[in-house]
Amino acid sequence: ELSMAPSPRIEYGTLDVTIEVVDSMAEAVDHVHMHGSGHTEAIITEDGETAEAFLRSVDSACVFHNASTRFSDGFRFGLGAEVGI
């Protein structure tokens, strides 16, 4: 059994990850608006229409569909290497 994450905003500095599973794209967008960094967000889905709606609805510097967020760090924006990962 998996343990609960202490917070959706925690940075581990390890290979650990926090995953939130939601029932709808609207719930995903609401979750991002409440807990997101405004820096980098991602959606994992096989539904192209859902992904497009998410990409258009989330206000963040980088928004990805079925892609890792790990290389989108502050260095890419000239802000240093560890901003908002």
Side-chain angles (χ1 to χ4, degrees):
E1 185 169 313
L2 298 174
S3 60
M4 294 294 291
S7 164
R9 291 177 164 243
I10 193 160
E11 279 193 43
Y12 296 102
T14 66
L15 295 177
D16 292 340
V17 63
T18 298
I19 297 174
E20 295 287 330
V21 178
V22 296
D23 292 324
S24 69
M25 194 279 304
E27 190 177 343
V29 171
D30 288 345
H31 181 84
V32 168
H33 288 159
M34 182 175 288
H35 301 288
S37 66
H39 183 284
T40 305
E41 313 300 343
I43 186 170
I44 307 303
T45 182
E46 294 178 354
D47 186 314
E49 285 184 30
T50 298
E52 280 298 317
F54 181 85
L55 296 174
R56 285 191 210 113
S57 298
V58 172
D59 183 17
S60 193
C62 298
V63 186
F64 300 112
H65 171 214
N66 290 352
S68 173
T69 62
R70 66 185 164 177
F71 297 118
S72 179
D73 61 15
F75 178 75
R76 306 277 177 243
F77 303 107
L79 302 172
E82 287 292 326
V83 176
I85 309 175

